[in-house]
Amino acid sequence: METPPDVDELAPPNRTLMGPGPSPVHPRVLRAMSTPLVGHLDPSFLDIMDETQELLRYAFRTENQWTIPVSGTGSASMEAAIGNLVEPGDTMLVPTNGYFGGRMASMAERAGGDVVEVDAPWGEPLDPVDVQDAFDEHQPDVFGFVHAETSTGAKQTNVPELTDVAHSHDALVVADTVTSLGGVELKVDEWGIDVAYSGPQKCLSCPPGASPLTLNDDAMDKVLSREEPARSWYLDLSLLEGYWGEERAYHHTAPITNVYALREALRLVAEEGIEERWARHERVAGALKAGVEAMGLDLNPEDDYWLPSLNAVRVPDGVTDSDVIDFLLDEYDLEIAGGLGDLSGEIFRIGCMGHGAREKNVTFLVSALADALDEQGADVDVNAGPAAVRDAF
Amino acid sequence: METPPDVDELAPPNRTLMGPGPSPVHPRVLRAMSTPLVGHLDPSFLDIMDETQELLRYAFRTENQWTIPVSGTGSASMEAAIGNLVEPGDTMLVPTNGYFGGRMASMAERAGGDVVEVDAPWGEPLDPVDVQDAFDEHQPDVFGFVHAETSTGAKQTNVPELTDVAHSHDALVVADTVTSLGGVELKVDEWGIDVAYSGPQKCLSCPPGASPLTLNDDAMDKVLSREEPARSWYLDLSLLEGYWGEERAYHHTAPITNVYALREALRLVAEEGIEERWARHERVAGALKAGVEAMGLDLNPEDDYWLPSLNAVRVPDGVTDSDVIDFLLDEYDLEIAGGLGDLSGEIFRIGCMGHGAREKNVTFLVSALADALDEQGADVDVNAGPAAVRDAF
């Protein structure tokens, strides 16, 4: 008989999470997760599912019946969207202006689709003219774009123009709203988005594990009339329809606790009001932006594309990004992140999401960042940043 | 501006979960879930990942390096196993003796494989002679079997004989251990199982959301030498290897809270000792079995195949299963389930799993079931069941 491993009680450090996610979780949501479970087919859980769907529709600004949490983290809802919508032989148009367009491409290819691209530099949104050109050239069946690019901190503007182009070519539109849902203005129905997916651990401030997805009837018609089944059984929306729809048939055991948590996180959204929540993110992140700019730093995206939930701050000359990131973690228990892909080493990614989008966190962040940069010998004004934050509030 | 939905505070009923899962969660595990999060790349989380892997290896009785929680519920770890191991053109041999063999078949087909079957009636294990015949006839590349059939309450015996047949034909063996891991004797390495997947919400008594998977080097060699990528990006083990392996590269945001919970659930396994835990399940479920038999009911599987974690009790003549199930839920806040597929309407499925495998729960269950059956006019001895349970303890 082997000696069992001797592992200590769980005692992770007490971090302030200001990276690209997970964001700080509201105590009410944490508490909801310690609620004893009911079964996934219990009548009371079916009510909880209905309520979660209703709350999700409110957050997405949609009337879509087909609005559910997918049983996995954000990439699961992403693959549920793409893997069901893209059939073998379909062509999907994806953007190249950030990390997640590449992930869309990989998922579309694995679904048996062909991938074509519309280009924009990392840190800039797509230009509707380029999207129009790409449609004219490639006639794609599905068009994906990223509303809030977590890798670059750039927001896609002109969304209704993009969806108009797609619909005039009879294509369906999939939007990555991972870092916008619940934090940045997003109107799924009004903007003509056919499918949107998100993650719970960004502006909803909920632990990852059950991830928002919404599809309108046009999208669901395509899914339900596929010639061959989706390539994932777990993420097959035509089967999930049996569980989340009227039949309530067993498909897989839902992650009950994660649904509890998402429901509570969405209750907080409803209590605050979605427009008020967008405004809070803009106000609080605005103070963060003012603070870092006052200390002499630049944001990477132009102001027109600034994404309040994810602030991409350029690493100043002479500073190594990882030294600053490690210093903040070690000295301040504060998490921020570096860049990915084309922006690796060039930006800090500073989240201002959900329960983390508070004056207290921004005051702490700007002060700590000023100290870290000063410590690393950067030419920054260590007092101007915190002062600008005080002025902003 | 639309009025936000008005959804009440979360207050599910206080169920005693004695169905096929989820099982009752230990308070320490529930409490772990309300721990504030760290980031998925935080150095402290990397340690937590290591510890969780070490504890999982202990529970699986394996030395496999490749032992991880998959970011989803049990069907996600199932599809991670099958979807990575089965390549287009491969043939997978699956059993027909329960619900989950059919799910294996669907997943293998979606992965691009061909499916062949080895038959046994629902409620009986596979016969090694039939498996040998199927191998000789079909020469499959992958062989799947279900160690503990949640749909029938039957245990697959003679596992080393099955794996010997497969290995002598150069095939890899995938075991469904969803309802055995942590509750019923399971020895992955000693029994020659190449890949095993499980769920956390059965004998580990952990909320669903991060699901155990283990692969030995032979299986991982096949996965890493695939000619084309797995059809799911989310479940692609060659990519997950970057995160759970030495590189620690970002793939997707892990369900941090679910990993916290699984770690705590596995600490409870280690504290109790895996052999002691198997013995407890057998002892406590044995009292349950004695109780239902004493009141005049039969278990569906023969005693040789009895599965302590999931007791399939035949519905007595003149009784409608759903009436009993509803009565127990309404009057006793007690969850049990009915049969699936070939056994629909013919059995009750009564779980005795993890934190639910306790004297208290069995005493309650047998007493409540006797009352429910009596209430429905069944010819049962309502006193003999509880008396037999008292005698057993």
Side-chain angles (χ1 to χ4, degrees):
Chain A
M1 197 186 312
E2 194 196 327
T3 310
D6 183 17
V7 173
D8 283 345
E9 190 170 352
L10 184 69
N14 184 18
R15 306 293 196 204
T16 300
L17 298 172
M18 301 287 280
S23 62
V25 178
H26 194 286
R28 267 175 52 188
V29 176
L30 290 176
R31 207 166 62 226
M33 296 199 82
S34 62
T35 308
L37 277 66
V38 295
H40 53 285
L41 294 170
D42 194 294
S44 67
F45 191 67
L46 304 183
D47 290 342
I48 287 170
M49 291 164 66
D50 285 343
E51 291 161 347
T52 305
Q53 291 187 276
E54 187 188 358
L55 289 161
L56 266 182
R57 288 185 196 105
Y58 174 71
F60 268 127
R61 308 283 60 221
T62 185
E63 302 291 323
N64 292 341
Q65 178 61 32
W66 247 90
T67 305
I68 63 165
V70 173
S71 302
T73 61
S75 299
S77 63
M78 181 178 185
E79 190 150 43
I82 294 170
N84 281 276
L85 212 59
V86 174
E87 296 178 79
D90 278 354
T91 297
M92 181 168 180
L93 177 65
V94 304
T96 62
N97 61 340
Y99 185 83
F100 292 95
R103 185 172 298 184
M104 282 183 171
S106 180
M107 289 177 175
E109 284 167 357
R110 288 163 193 253
D114 298 313
V115 169
V116 292
E117 294 178 342
V118 50
D119 291 325
W122 278 50
E124 293 184 20
L126 298 176
D127 186 326
V129 172
D130 294 334
V131 173
Q132 176 76 55
D133 290 346
F135 263 94
D136 291 342
E137 184 180 350
H138 302 295
Q139 302 292 334
D141 307 284
V142 177
F143 165 51
F145 76 92
V146 180
H147 180 224
E149 236 311 338
T150 321
S151 66
T152 67
K155 183 172 69 178
Q156 179 65 50
T157 47
N158 303 310
V159 172
E161 288 184 51
L162 302 185
T163 59
D164 279 350
V165 170
H167 293 150
S168 68
H169 289 79
D170 292 327
L172 292 167
V173 178
V174 182
D176 181 320
T177 66
V178 168
T179 299
S180 55
L181 178 68
V184 177
E185 184 183 39
L186 167 67
K187 296 178 172 175
V188 165
D189 287 359
E190 189 178 320
W191 292 355
I193 295 168
D194 299 292
V195 181
Y197 59 83
S198 191
Q201 77 279 8
K202 311 280 185 177
C203 300
L204 298 178
S205 274
C206 178
S211 298
L213 175 67
T214 187
L215 297 89
N216 65 15
D217 287 346
D218 291 345
M220 212 50 201
D221 284 349
K222 184 172 191 327
V223 169
L224 294 177
S225 59
R226 290 177 62 101
E227 285 186 23
E228 58 179 70
R231 289 182 163 186
S232 168
W233 183 93
Y234 186 62
L235 300 174
D236 184 338
L237 294 176
S238 72
L239 299 178
L240 284 168
E241 206 263 347
Y243 181 53
W244 287 92
E246 287 179 13
E247 200 185 342
R248 301 300 195 180
Y250 166 61
H251 176 251
H252 68 266
T253 304
I256 295 152
T257 305
N258 298 280
V259 175
Y260 285 178
L262 183 61
R263 179 182 180 281
E264 190 65 16
L266 291 165
R267 281 183 78 226
L268 288 162
V269 174
E271 287 174 22
E272 182 172 10
I274 188 74
E275 288 88 355
E276 290 77 2
R277 196 172 171 99
W278 298 336
R280 169 168 60 87
H281 278 76
E282 191 159 321
R283 187 177 69 249
V284 174
L288 191 158
K289 179 171 180 289
V292 296
E293 287 177 344
M295 77 173 88
L297 304 177
D298 296 315
L299 262 67
N300 191 66
E302 290 182 29
D303 280 358
D304 288 350
Y305 323 136
W306 171 57
L307 181 62
S309 50
L310 199 286
N311 298 272
V313 177
R314 292 202 61 82
V315 178
D317 291 341
V319 168
T320 302
D321 60 342
S322 59
D323 291 342
V324 173
I325 292 165
D326 292 347
F327 181 90
L328 290 172
L329 199 71
D330 293 341
E331 301 298 323
Y332 285 91
D333 260 337
L334 173 59
E335 177 177 281
I336 69 168
L340 292 175
D342 285 7
L343 293 173
S344 181
E346 296 194 20
I347 58 171
F348 297 116
R349 292 185 299 148
I350 303 176
C352 188
M353 302 176 181
H355 186 56
R358 285 176 294 153
E359 300 186 4
K360 177 182 174 178
N361 285 33
V362 166
T363 301
F364 177 56
L365 178 283
V366 171
S367 183
L369 181 63
D371 182 34
L373 290 169
D374 188 48
E375 218 24 74
Q376 299 297 321
D379 179 24
V380 292
D381 185 336
V382 292
N383 294 319
V389 172
R390 282 193 300 274
D391 286 349
F393 288 133
Chain B
M1 197 186 311
E2 196 196 326
T3 309
D6 183 17
V7 173
D8 283 346
E9 190 171 352
L10 183 70
N14 183 19
R15 305 292 196 206
T16 300
L17 298 172
M18 301 286 281
S23 62
V25 177
H26 194 287
R28 267 174 51 187
V29 176
L30 290 176
R31 206 166 62 228
M33 295 199 82
S34 62
T35 309
L37 278 66
V38 296
H40 53 286
L41 294 170
D42 194 295
S44 67
F45 191 67
L46 304 183
D47 290 342
I48 287 168
M49 291 163 66
D50 286 341
E51 291 161 347
T52 306
Q53 290 187 275
E54 187 188 357
L55 289 160
L56 267 182
R57 286 185 198 106
Y58 174 71
F60 269 127
R61 310 280 64 219
T62 185
E63 301 290 324
N64 291 342
Q65 178 60 32
W66 247 90
T67 305
I68 63 165
V70 173
S71 302
T73 62
S75 300
S77 63
M78 181 178 185
E79 190 150 42
I82 295 170
N84 280 277
L85 211 59
V86 175
E87 296 177 79
D90 279 354
T91 297
M92 181 167 179
L93 177 65
V94 305
T96 62
N97 61 340
Y99 186 84
F100 292 93
R103 184 172 297 184
M104 281 183 172
S106 181
M107 288 178 175
E109 284 167 357
R110 288 163 193 253
D114 298 315
V115 169
V116 292
E117 294 177 341
V118 50
D119 291 325
W122 278 49
E124 294 184 21
L126 298 177
D127 186 325
V129 172
D130 294 334
V131 173
Q132 175 77 53
D133 289 347
F135 262 95
D136 290 342
E137 184 181 351
H138 302 294
Q139 302 292 333
D141 306 284
V142 177
F143 165 51
F145 76 93
V146 180
H147 180 224
E149 237 310 339
T150 322
S151 66
T152 68
K155 183 172 68 179
Q156 178 65 51
T157 47
N158 303 311
V159 173
E161 287 184 51
L162 303 185
T163 59
D164 278 350
V165 170
H167 293 151
S168 69
H169 289 78
D170 291 326
L172 292 167
V173 178
V174 182
D176 181 320
T177 66
V178 168
T179 299
S180 55
L181 179 67
V184 177
E185 184 184 39
L186 168 67
K187 296 179 172 175
V188 165
D189 287 359
E190 189 177 321
W191 292 356
I193 295 168
D194 299 293
V195 181
Y197 59 83
S198 192
Q201 78 279 8
K202 310 280 186 180
C203 300
L204 299 178
S205 274
C206 177
S211 298
L213 175 68
T214 187
L215 296 89
N216 66 15
D217 287 346
D218 290 346
M220 214 46 203
D221 283 349
K222 184 172 194 318
V223 169
L224 294 178
S225 60
R226 288 177 64 100
E227 283 185 25
E228 57 180 71
R231 288 181 165 187
S232 167
W233 182 93
Y234 186 62
L235 300 174
D236 183 338
L237 295 176
S238 72
L239 299 178
L240 283 167
E241 206 262 345
Y243 181 53
W244 287 93
E246 287 180 13
E247 200 186 340
R248 301 302 195 180
Y250 166 60
H251 176 253
H252 67 266
T253 304
I256 295 152
T257 304
N258 299 282
V259 174
Y260 285 178
L262 183 60
R263 178 182 178 282
E264 190 65 17
L266 291 166
R267 282 182 77 227
L268 288 162
V269 174
E271 286 174 24
E272 182 172 7
I274 188 74
E275 287 88 355
E276 289 77 1
R277 196 173 171 98
W278 297 337
R280 170 168 61 87
H281 279 76
E282 193 159 319
R283 186 177 69 249
V284 173
L288 191 159
K289 180 171 180 287
V292 296
E293 286 176 343
M295 75 173 90
L297 304 177
D298 296 314
L299 262 68
N300 191 65
E302 291 182 27
D303 280 357
D304 288 350
Y305 325 135
W306 170 58
L307 181 62
S309 50
L310 199 286
N311 297 272
V313 176
R314 292 202 62 81
V315 177
D317 289 343
V319 168
T320 303
D321 60 341
S322 59
D323 291 342
V324 174
I325 292 165
D326 292 347
F327 180 89
L328 289 172
L329 197 71
D330 293 340
E331 301 297 322
Y332 285 91
D333 260 338
L334 173 60
E335 177 176 284
I336 68 167
L340 291 176
D342 285 8
L343 294 173
S344 181
E346 297 196 19
I347 59 170
F348 297 116
R349 291 185 299 149
I350 303 176
C352 189
M353 303 176 181
H355 187 55
R358 284 175 295 151
E359 299 187 3
K360 176 182 174 179
N361 284 32
V362 166
T363 301
F364 177 57
L365 178 283
V366 171
S367 183
L369 181 63
D371 182 35
L373 289 169
D374 188 48
E375 210 37 63
Q376 299 298 321
D379 180 24
V380 294
D381 184 336
V382 292
N383 295 317
V389 172
R390 281 193 299 275
D391 287 348
F393 287 133

